[in-house]
Amino acid sequence: LGPGHLAVGVDLGFSNKEIISPAWIYPSAPEPFLQSMGASTSNFGFDFNAGAYYHNTNFYAGVSILHLTASEFTNLNVRQARHMYFTGGYTFPIGTGGWKLNPNAIIRTDFATANFDINLNALYDINGTHGIFFGATYRFIDAIGINLGYNGTFMQGKMGMLFGYNYDI
């Protein structure tokens, strides 16, 4: 795939979950766990997230995982779910007029279920530093969307901006 750039990141932190004064009308029978909690209950847990992203001129791919430690908040009877994301795409130049085609996808899972988006965008490079894009998205068993946007770089390429809009149908 040629020379490119690899970025790796880790995130170490803590999560705090809290339920304050659980007082709602139960649909049929009271929830015994909530009745035994009292006015409020909270729990604290260690959190670890990591990811890697590789890109070159035309290709990109990434993987990330959230809540790798799957902290258990025993006071709340809750466990933090792990989530994993895979993404990738390739940009194909079309002719010499500045048009490009970018098919890409993202797969996400919480290790119990999985879902994915498949996207196809047409990109037009206006002058090497600014461009527009439009396309369509298919989200498995959920939606079809249309998207459009603008991207640009400023200050001799030191600052970039991307604005995008997606409308799910």
Side-chain angles (χ1 to χ4, degrees), residues 78-95:
V78 172
R79 177 181 283 274
Q80 211 167 28
R82 291 179 185 100
H83 289 80
M84 194 161 200
Y85 302 88
F86 302 92
T87 189
Y90 194 88
T91 303
F92 297 94
I94 301 174

Side-chain angles (χ1 to χ4, degrees), residues 92-112:
F92 297 94
I94 301 174
T96 58
W99 284 97
K100 299 174 185 174
L101 202 58
N102 175 238
N104 58 80
I106 183 168
I107 302 167
R108 55 194 161 274
T109 181
D110 63 0
F111 300 97

Side-chain angles (χ1 to χ4, degrees), residues 3-104:
H5 302 280
L6 176 66
V8 177
V10 295
D11 176 33
L12 302 172
F14 296 96
S15 292
N16 185 36
K17 304 291 182 192
E18 181 174 24
I19 295 178
I20 300 172
S21 302
W24 57 77
I25 299 171
Y26 302 98
S28 56
E31 173 63 49
F33 175 74
L34 293 176
Q35 285 184 327
S36 68
M37 283 186 3
S40 70
T41 301
S42 67
N43 229 175
F44 198 67
F46 176 70
D47 198 17
F48 178 73
N49 311 294
Y53 182 77
Y54 173 83
H55 71 95
N56 65 17
T57 305
N58 294 330
F59 171 79
Y60 59 92
V63 60
S64 64
I65 188 161
L66 302 176
H67 313 305
L68 187 60
T69 53
S71 295
E72 187 169 354
F73 303 102
T74 52
N75 292 354
L76 303 173
N77 198 26
V78 172
R79 177 181 283 274
Q80 211 167 28
R82 291 179 185 100
H83 289 80
M84 194 161 200
Y85 302 88
F86 302 92
T87 189
Y90 194 88
T91 303
F92 297 94
I94 301 174
T96 58
W99 284 97
K100 299 174 185 174
L101 202 58
N102 175 238
N104 58 80

Side-chain angles (χ1 to χ4, degrees), residues 108-143:
R108 55 194 161 274
T109 181
D110 63 0
F111 300 97
T113 62
N115 201 331
F116 65 88
D117 289 11
I118 298 173
N119 309 288
L120 181 61
N121 290 315
L123 310 138
Y124 180 70
D125 184 6
I126 296 172
N127 64 2
T129 60
H130 300 277
I132 58 171
F133 64 90
F134 63 91
T137 297
Y138 170 71
R139 185 173 308 114
F140 182 65
I141 309 178
D142 187 32

